[in-house]
Amino acid sequence: MKTGKQSAFAAAFPHTIPVMTGYIFLGITYGIYMTSSGSPFWYPVLTALAVYGGALEFVIVSMLAGPFAPLQTFLMALMIQARHLFYGIAMLEKYRGAGKRKWQLIYGLTDETFSVNASAEIPEGVSPYSFWSWITFLDHCYWVTGASIGGILGQVIHFNTEGLDFVMTSMFIVILTEQILKEKNHISAWIGGIASALCLILFGKDSFLIPAMALITLSLTVFRRPIESAGIAE
């Protein structure tokens, strides 16, 4: 007979398989990139454990090679990771009552973990907090594993990894497709698509993400009741 933790793990693991595919391959790319830039193999392992910032970790490679500039580093990190503020706001109600797990859930709230935790259906009888905690933990393990493998490979081999970062884009496409197929009401998807396209036109590809997230959050807040009503009507 399975315990509560085993049941939560069994329910959570299948949801993390797309993330595992993306994180391990992109983590390998990151590990190779950092070590091929002259860092020891344990640098990508350490940053994967402590920073766990995806795109920020790639930028860290050039930061470590440059002059000491704490203010510039802080602003750069804030600009790159500011979208997580919106993720956190969206998960406030879900994570309320998580107890000690809340710190881990907050620290591990990456783009992909947010996508899974916000949309996955939790089986009856499984603690939602254990379910979300396992997904968060597993996703972090995948990233550290990929970075570790890449760090070791980067010490002995060198090859062109151009295009491998598209793994993350393809993973998001899969998650979005599953969400669209699961729901009859696509209001949220339309809001996200229109807001992103509008901000891309207005701000350009290098600066559209934060305005798009702000616009999506505002739109979902304004149209919260119609969206909830449409969901209940289904």
Side-chain angles (χ1 to χ4, degrees):
M1 184 176 179
K2 291 183 178 179
T3 65
K5 290 184 178 180
Q6 291 173 332
S7 298
F9 174 83
F13 175 70
H15 291 278
T16 68
I17 292 176
V19 182
M20 176 177 62
T21 304
Y23 272 18
I24 288 181
F25 279 99
L26 192 57
I28 291 173
T29 305
Y30 165 65
I32 293 175
Y33 174 54
M34 174 165 267
T35 52
S36 64
S37 300
S39 300
F41 79 93
W42 53 268
Y43 265 40
V45 179
L46 180 62
T47 54
L49 282 168
V51 179
Y52 193 33
L56 177 60
E57 290 181 55
F58 280 87
V59 177
I60 282 176
V61 177
S62 58
M63 289 180 178
L64 291 175
F68 180 66
L71 179 58
Q72 181 182 355
T73 301
F74 170 77
L75 293 176
M76 180 67 72
L78 179 63
M79 182 177 65
I80 294 173
Q81 302 296 103
R83 64 190 184 279
H84 292 148
L85 294 172
F86 304 106
Y87 298 160
I89 292 173
M91 299 300 287
L92 279 176
E93 192 61 36
K94 278 181 175 286
Y95 288 172
R96 191 183 305 275
K100 294 180 180 179
R101 290 191 180 97
K102 185 182 294 183
W103 299 107
Q104 179 229 358
L105 293 171
I106 292 172
Y107 177 73
L109 192 61
T110 61
D111 301 0
E112 297 75 24
T113 301
F114 167 77
S115 298
V116 176
N117 282 354
S119 61
E121 294 184 2
I122 303 174
E124 186 177 353
V126 174
S127 166
Y129 303 120
S130 295
F131 179 84
W132 295 326
S133 181
W134 271 119
I135 286 178
T136 304
F137 174 75
L138 288 170
D139 288 351
H140 197 176
C141 287
Y142 301 148
W143 181 252
V144 174
T145 299
S148 302
I149 295 172
I152 295 171
L153 291 177
Q155 296 288 314
V156 295
I157 61 174
H158 301 278
F159 59 90
N160 186 3
T161 58
E162 183 178 359
L164 192 60
D165 55 351
F166 186 74
V167 169
M168 303 304 290
T169 302
S170 62
M171 184 186 65
F172 271 118
I173 293 173
V174 170
I175 293 174
L176 175 61
T177 302
E178 288 181 349
Q179 188 70 11
I180 290 175
L181 292 174
K182 184 177 67 175
E183 296 182 350
K184 295 180 180 179
N185 170 22
H186 305 316
I187 298 176
S188 299
W190 278 109
I191 288 176
I194 293 172
S196 299
L198 180 62
C199 290
L200 179 62
I201 295 171
L202 293 176
F203 299 100
K205 65 179 182 179
D206 295 327
S207 306
F208 85 99
L209 187 58
I210 294 178
M213 292 299 298
L215 181 58
I216 291 170
T217 302
L218 177 62
S219 301
L220 291 176
T221 301
V222 172
F223 297 106
R224 176 181 176 182
R225 292 188 181 277
I227 293 173
E228 290 178 346
S229 299
I232 294 173
E234 292 181 12

